[in-house]
Amino acid sequence: MGHSIEGRLDLGDPVHLAAQLVDIPSVSGDETRLANAVEAALLCCPHLGVERDQDAVIARTHLGRGHRVVLAGHLDTVPISENIPGRFETRQLADGPVDVLWGRGSVDMLGGVAVLLHAASRLAAPRHDVTWVFYDHEEVASPLNGLGRVALHHPDWLAGDLAILAEPTAAQVEGGCNGTLRVIATFPGVAAHSARSWRGDNAIHRMGAVIDRIAAFGNPVVTVDGLDYRESLSIVAISGGRANNVIPDRASMTINYRFAPSTTGEQALNVVRAMLAGSGATVMVDDLAEGARPGLDSLLAQEFIAAAAYAGDRPSVSAERSPFGVVAQGAPSSLVGGLRVRAKEGWTDVARFSALGTPALNYGPGDPVLAHTRDEYVPVDQIRQCAAAVMYWLEGPVIAGPGEETS
Amino acid sequence: MGHSIEGRLDLGDPVHLAAQLVDIPSVSGDETRLANAVEAALLCCPHLGVERDQDAVIARTHLGRGHRVVLAGHLDTVPISENIPGRFETRQLADGPVDVLWGRGSVDMLGGVAVLLHAASRLAAPRHDVTWVFYDHEEVASPLNGLGRVALHHPDWLAGDLAILAEPTAAQVEGGCNGTLRVIATFPGVAAHSARSWRGDNAIHRMGAVIDRIAAFGNPVVTVDGLDYRESLSIVAISGGRANNVIPDRASMTINYRFAPSTTGEQALNVVRAMLAGSGATVMVDDLAEGARPGLDSLLAQEFIAAAAYAGDRPSVSAERSPFGVVAQGAPSSLVGGLRVRAKEGWTDVARFSALGTPALNYGPGDPVLAHTRDEYVPVDQIRQCAAAVMYWLEGPVIAGPGEETS
């Protein structure tokens, strides 16, 4: 892939920028090279003040606007699996041929980071003050998370009235996120020779009713602030057995509950406990993170959603090289009726903003189903569309009266 | 423990002989030292012809009797667990204080081997020709089994009209044995992110109904040749799961069915298949060995059972040092009515004799529940009782009219 001369990032086009980012390996724990490149590029923008904490880079405007918005993306990827350097390809998808950027991180979430970096360099006078956040260690254990670390060390750096997290959402706005609870249930028993099973108490045999109950839970839908959150309750691991001729005296299962943001962690735990009732199992909470409400009542959120809808409703927008020119052409088909907001099923770092009191939305290019797969690719049109949405939102004159700039 | 001088085995007393055997480490694969000691001791008996195949030692009388009986025990033990050297202890058991020999192999089955070795040295003119079999590799994978190897290489060495295997039975006669079937069932599924479980198909969730059915199987009793065989159907291992956030696309369980000797292997497999019906699981047979009918219709078997009952019915027998003197004292309370014959639930090498066409019984000192445990111990009275039974059976004059010897 063609890098700019001297290895510096060229922020001029979000799609080519995404390709440059993919080609800089940045597996969790190894983000320094990419963080250095991002920091260097942002330091060249005279309208931004730049801060750094380990491999997290924060850039802010200080224009004295009435509101401040935070746009954030993580720099790290899951391990590379023979999928860098990236390449541009044409894929035959259901809707016909689609130009994509293939490679590790293209979906999760270097495509989104490219959108943010590009917009950061262009938006010298945004309608709201903006904080751009690029952070490390998102793909590994929660205690390492760079956003969590910055929130702990420099909470003022993250202050804002609305946050947008560039999670892959296929350029749809996804509000809030489900919570997640992981429980390890251990079933007791009494060992015996398997030729005399009546002398023992088979721990595995105690699991049947619990499995049946969990399998019957289905995927209930919970509506929160007008968005539908679909829950999942799953046994993700099971183990037990000492030897082929021994009645097992111990068995365990790992249960993962993805629960709606209106449910507290304690309520979620009670749901899982009810599944285990009567089994004799003991419960250990292995992980618990509450969800985030979508926060759609925020005026800033509605403003952003309108901009995203505008960018997404224009069939021609994604075929153009310059999103700004495209967004400026023609009136939006709908600024309000075109709102396409979904609930986010997976837990994301929007919950960290939510915990700081900042409503947060997920919005970024790429199909989340392709995240972490070897065949990770992002449609280049989605990168352009997301960049258009961010620019349209924050370039003051456009949203004030897009029709005026037409013709 | 006190060994005889020069490290040779002293066969004079079965209890002290058992202690000597326990103190010679003979974990499967490492039986040579013990096999050498056994062979050397048997070679000192002028009435026996001795053969050897690797670490199996076979000693036979050649008296031209009308019948030949086979008495067999294995020399190997499961791994030592800080439980040698052995020691004599007094245990407070339910019936009061009991003198025991503690140590690896005391139950499974060096106590039984001591009974056989002692009897082999004494029985210069038994009522039937006798083949004494001491073999290796019983506690490991079936293809290594020393009895199976001798049956393959020298089937004539094992020929006989009845076999007694010195399995621990707490000095009760246990006829035949259940068969054993081990099946690995693999459940299919479709992987997905656990936050979107409806996109996947959880392989673990398919297991609930199967576990319920197996747990409800209970322990049916099947009567074969007048003996009650209690069956066991157990899940002895279960596993599944790829990662904490992935719906598992594969899970498996290991099922062990201990089935009555009237059931064929194919019938047993059909029972397990019925448990898995509708689950989508694929079945792999990991182990299958049919059981052995008890063979109680053999006159020789009835003769042995009578002798064992006589030895067991005498409360005083076990307190004496010399079983021969004791057996000769007083009339038996019952030679026939005192038959205490049970079914053997576990699979044993009696099935190998059964496959050769030789009816076979299990009979030896020690509680089978203690086999393989670290706290393995055998009541010394049971060793004496078993030795008395063997001697009583094969010392011709006694069984012909024990009452005649009573004063």
Side-chain angles (χ1 to χ4, degrees), chain B residues 372-387:
Chain B
H372 301 193
T373 66
R374 186 176 176 281
D375 189 34
E376 189 176 345
Y377 63 84
V378 58
V380 300
D381 288 351
Q382 288 187 9
I383 297 176
R384 295 194 194 287
Q385 181 182 327
C386 290

PDB file of all heavy atoms in Angstrom, chain B residues 372-387:
ATOM      1  N   HIS B 372      -7.594 -48.418  44.152  1.00  0.00           N
ATOM      2  CA  HIS B 372      -7.099 -47.215  43.457  1.00  0.00           C
ATOM      3  C   HIS B 372      -7.102 -45.988  44.356  1.00  0.00           C
ATOM      4  O   HIS B 372      -6.680 -44.930  43.919  1.00  0.00           O
ATOM      5  CB  HIS B 372      -7.886 -46.910  42.172  1.00  0.00           C
ATOM      6  CG  HIS B 372      -7.865 -48.019  41.169  1.00  0.00           C
ATOM      7  ND1 HIS B 372      -8.274 -47.850  39.869  1.00  0.00           N
ATOM      8  CD2 HIS B 372      -7.469 -49.313  41.259  1.00  0.00           C
ATOM      9  CE1 HIS B 372      -8.163 -48.993  39.216  1.00  0.00           C
ATOM     10  NE2 HIS B 372      -7.674 -49.898  40.039  1.00  0.00           N
ATOM     11  N   THR B 373      -7.629 -46.079  45.555  1.00  0.00           N
ATOM     12  CA  THR B 373      -7.586 -44.910  46.429  1.00  0.00           C
ATOM     13  C   THR B 373      -6.226 -44.858  47.109  1.00  0.00           C
ATOM     14  O   THR B 373      -5.493 -45.841  47.183  1.00  0.00           O
ATOM     15  CB  THR B 373      -8.680 -44.971  47.509  1.00  0.00           C
ATOM     16  OG1 THR B 373      -8.407 -46.065  48.393  1.00  0.00           O
ATOM     17  CG2 THR B 373     -10.058 -45.157  46.884  1.00  0.00           C
ATOM     18  N   ARG B 374      -5.899 -43.691  47.622  1.00  0.00           N
ATOM     19  CA  ARG B 374      -4.630 -43.560  48.357  1.00  0.00           C
ATOM     20  C   ARG B 374      -4.708 -44.355  49.661  1.00  0.00           C
ATOM     21  O   ARG B 374      -3.738 -44.942  50.100  1.00  0.00           O
ATOM     22  CB  ARG B 374      -4.356 -42.079  48.643  1.00  0.00           C
ATOM     23  CG  ARG B 374      -2.993 -41.877  49.263  1.00  0.00           C
ATOM     24  CD  ARG B 374      -2.653 -40.409  49.477  1.00  0.00           C
ATOM     25  NE  ARG B 374      -1.368 -40.331  50.150  1.00  0.00           N
ATOM     26  CZ  ARG B 374      -1.207 -40.528  51.452  1.00  0.00           C
ATOM     27  NH1 ARG B 374      -2.228 -40.772  52.220  1.00  0.00           N
ATOM     28  NH2 ARG B 374       0.002 -40.479  51.988  1.00  0.00           N
ATOM     29  N   ASP B 375      -5.909 -44.350  50.252  1.00  0.00           N
ATOM     30  CA  ASP B 375      -6.113 -45.028  51.538  1.00  0.00           C
ATOM     31  C   ASP B 375      -6.591 -46.458  51.302  1.00  0.00           C
ATOM     32  O   ASP B 375      -7.649 -46.860  51.756  1.00  0.00           O
ATOM     33  CB  ASP B 375      -7.125 -44.232  52.378  1.00  0.00           C
ATOM     34  CG  ASP B 375      -7.205 -44.757  53.804  1.00  0.00           C
ATOM     35  OD1 ASP B 375      -6.164 -45.198  54.326  1.00  0.00           O
ATOM     36  OD2 ASP B 375      -8.308 -44.726  54.388  1.00  0.00           O
ATOM     37  N   GLU B 376      -5.765 -47.218  50.582  1.00  0.00           N
ATOM     38  CA  GLU B 376      -6.119 -48.586  50.205  1.00  0.00           C
ATOM     39  C   GLU B 376      -5.698 -49.529  51.336  1.00  0.00           C
ATOM     40  O   GLU B 376      -4.541 -49.503  51.754  1.00  0.00           O
ATOM     41  CB  GLU B 376      -5.372 -48.904  48.888  1.00  0.00           C
ATOM     42  CG  GLU B 376      -5.764 -50.204  48.219  1.00  0.00           C
ATOM     43  CD  GLU B 376      -5.052 -50.389  46.869  1.00  0.00           C
ATOM     44  OE1 GLU B 376      -4.482 -49.410  46.326  1.00  0.00           O
ATOM     45  OE2 GLU B 376      -5.051 -51.530  46.370  1.00  0.00           O
ATOM     46  N   TYR B 377      -6.626 -50.328  51.829  1.00  0.00           N
ATOM     47  CA  TYR B 377      -6.260 -51.284  52.890  1.00  0.00           C
ATOM     48  C   TYR B 377      -7.157 -52.508  52.811  1.00  0.00           C
ATOM     49  O   TYR B 377      -8.299 -52.430  52.356  1.00  0.00           O
ATOM     50  CB  TYR B 377      -6.341 -50.650  54.280  1.00  0.00           C
ATOM     51  CG  TYR B 377      -7.730 -50.204  54.672  1.00  0.00           C
ATOM     52  CD1 TYR B 377      -8.645 -51.099  55.224  1.00  0.00           C
ATOM     53  CD2 TYR B 377      -8.129 -48.885  54.484  1.00  0.00           C
ATOM     54  CE1 TYR B 377      -9.926 -50.702  55.583  1.00  0.00           C
ATOM     55  CE2 TYR B 377      -9.406 -48.473  54.833  1.00  0.00           C
ATOM     56  CZ  TYR B 377     -10.302 -49.388  55.382  1.00  0.00           C
ATOM     57  OH  TYR B 377     -11.565 -48.987  55.717  1.00  0.00           O
ATOM     58  N   VAL B 378      -6.626 -53.633  53.236  1.00  0.00           N
ATOM     59  CA  VAL B 378      -7.369 -54.883  53.180  1.00  0.00           C
ATOM     60  C   VAL B 378      -7.389 -55.492  54.587  1.00  0.00           C
ATOM     61  O   VAL B 378      -6.359 -55.560  55.252  1.00  0.00           O
ATOM     62  CB  VAL B 378      -6.726 -55.848  52.157  1.00  0.00           C
ATOM     63  CG1 VAL B 378      -5.271 -56.145  52.499  1.00  0.00           C
ATOM     64  CG2 VAL B 378      -7.523 -57.138  52.026  1.00  0.00           C
ATOM     65  N   PRO B 379      -8.553 -55.928  55.069  1.00  0.00           N
ATOM     66  CA  PRO B 379      -8.591 -56.623  56.359  1.00  0.00           C
ATOM     67  C   PRO B 379      -7.789 -57.926  56.266  1.00  0.00           C
ATOM     68  O   PRO B 379      -7.996 -58.716  55.335  1.00  0.00           O
ATOM     69  CB  PRO B 379     -10.088 -56.906  56.575  1.00  0.00           C
ATOM     70  CG  PRO B 379     -10.795 -55.882  55.730  1.00  0.00           C
ATOM     71  CD  PRO B 379      -9.904 -55.699  54.530  1.00  0.00           C
ATOM     72  N   VAL B 380      -6.928 -58.144  57.217  1.00  0.00           N
ATOM     73  CA  VAL B 380      -6.099 -59.351  57.135  1.00  0.00           C
ATOM     74  C   VAL B 380      -6.960 -60.610  57.268  1.00  0.00           C
ATOM     75  O   VAL B 380      -6.637 -61.650  56.695  1.00  0.00           O
ATOM     76  CB  VAL B 380      -4.967 -59.325  58.191  1.00  0.00           C
ATOM     77  CG1 VAL B 380      -4.059 -58.125  57.971  1.00  0.00           C
ATOM     78  CG2 VAL B 380      -5.529 -59.325  59.602  1.00  0.00           C
ATOM     79  N   ASP B 381      -8.088 -60.508  57.962  1.00  0.00           N
ATOM     80  CA  ASP B 381      -8.962 -61.679  58.078  1.00  0.00           C
ATOM     81  C   ASP B 381      -9.502 -62.121  56.723  1.00  0.00           C
ATOM     82  O   ASP B 381      -9.736 -63.319  56.510  1.00  0.00           O
ATOM     83  CB  ASP B 381     -10.149 -61.364  58.998  1.00  0.00           C
ATOM     84  CG  ASP B 381      -9.721 -61.276  60.454  1.00  0.00           C
ATOM     85  OD1 ASP B 381      -8.556 -61.629  60.745  1.00  0.00           O
ATOM     86  OD2 ASP B 381     -10.547 -60.847  61.277  1.00  0.00           O
ATOM     87  N   GLN B 382      -9.722 -61.154  55.844  1.00  0.00           N
ATOM     88  CA  GLN B 382     -10.233 -61.530  54.515  1.00  0.00           C
ATOM     89  C   GLN B 382      -9.164 -62.282  53.727  1.00  0.00           C
ATOM     90  O   GLN B 382      -9.482 -63.192  52.953  1.00  0.00           O
ATOM     91  CB  GLN B 382     -10.704 -60.293  53.749  1.00  0.00           C
ATOM     92  CG  GLN B 382     -12.005 -59.712  54.301  1.00  0.00           C
ATOM     93  CD  GLN B 382     -12.556 -58.595  53.438  1.00  0.00           C
ATOM     94  OE1 GLN B 382     -12.069 -58.335  52.336  1.00  0.00           O
ATOM     95  NE2 GLN B 382     -13.580 -57.924  53.950  1.00  0.00           N
ATOM     96  N   ILE B 383      -7.907 -61.896  53.895  1.00  0.00           N
ATOM     97  CA  ILE B 383      -6.836 -62.640  53.216  1.00  0.00           C
ATOM     98  C   ILE B 383      -6.835 -64.089  53.721  1.00  0.00           C
ATOM     99  O   ILE B 383      -6.794 -65.042  52.934  1.00  0.00           O
ATOM    100  CB  ILE B 383      -5.466 -61.975  53.470  1.00  0.00           C
ATOM    101  CG1 ILE B 383      -5.448 -60.559  52.881  1.00  0.00           C
ATOM    102  CG2 ILE B 383      -4.340 -62.825  52.888  1.00  0.00           C
ATOM    103  CD1 ILE B 383      -4.158 -59.795  53.161  1.00  0.00           C
ATOM    104  N   ARG B 384      -6.932 -64.241  55.037  1.00  0.00           N
ATOM    105  CA  ARG B 384      -6.917 -65.610  55.605  1.00  0.00           C
ATOM    106  C   ARG B 384      -8.153 -66.384  55.155  1.00  0.00           C
ATOM    107  O   ARG B 384      -8.080 -67.566  54.847  1.00  0.00           O
ATOM    108  CB  ARG B 384      -6.883 -65.542  57.123  1.00  0.00           C
ATOM    109  CG  ARG B 384      -5.605 -64.916  57.654  1.00  0.00           C
ATOM    110  CD  ARG B 384      -5.430 -65.165  59.155  1.00  0.00           C
ATOM    111  NE  ARG B 384      -4.398 -64.294  59.691  1.00  0.00           N
ATOM    112  CZ  ARG B 384      -3.100 -64.443  59.466  1.00  0.00           C
ATOM    113  NH1 ARG B 384      -2.676 -65.460  58.719  1.00  0.00           N
ATOM    114  NH2 ARG B 384      -2.228 -63.595  59.972  1.00  0.00           N
ATOM    115  N   GLN B 385      -9.289 -65.702  55.121  1.00  0.00           N
ATOM    116  CA  GLN B 385     -10.534 -66.382  54.728  1.00  0.00           C
ATOM    117  C   GLN B 385     -10.452 -66.875  53.288  1.00  0.00           C
ATOM    118  O   GLN B 385     -10.863 -67.996  52.971  1.00  0.00           O
ATOM    119  CB  GLN B 385     -11.705 -65.420  54.900  1.00  0.00           C
ATOM    120  CG  GLN B 385     -13.054 -66.030  54.551  1.00  0.00           C
ATOM    121  CD  GLN B 385     -14.188 -65.010  54.688  1.00  0.00           C
ATOM    122  OE1 GLN B 385     -14.129 -64.138  55.550  1.00  0.00           O
ATOM    123  NE2 GLN B 385     -15.184 -65.120  53.838  1.00  0.00           N
ATOM    124  N   CYS B 386      -9.930 -66.035  52.401  1.00  0.00           N
ATOM    125  CA  CYS B 386      -9.827 -66.429  50.988  1.00  0.00           C
ATOM    126  C   CYS B 386      -8.839 -67.595  50.834  1.00  0.00           C
ATOM    127  O   CYS B 386      -9.075 -68.529  50.050  1.00  0.00           O
ATOM    128  CB  CYS B 386      -9.405 -65.243  50.133  1.00  0.00           C
ATOM    129  SG  CYS B 386     -10.691 -63.993  49.972  1.00  0.00           S
ATOM    130  N   ALA B 387      -7.739 -67.505  51.566  1.00  0.00           N
ATOM    131  CA  ALA B 387      -6.769 -68.604  51.494  1.00  0.00           C
ATOM    132  C   ALA B 387      -7.417 -69.896  51.986  1.00  0.00           C
ATOM    133  O   ALA B 387      -7.246 -70.973  51.394  1.00  0.00           O
ATOM    134  CB  ALA B 387      -5.527 -68.274  52.318  1.00  0.00           C
TER     135      ALA B 387
END
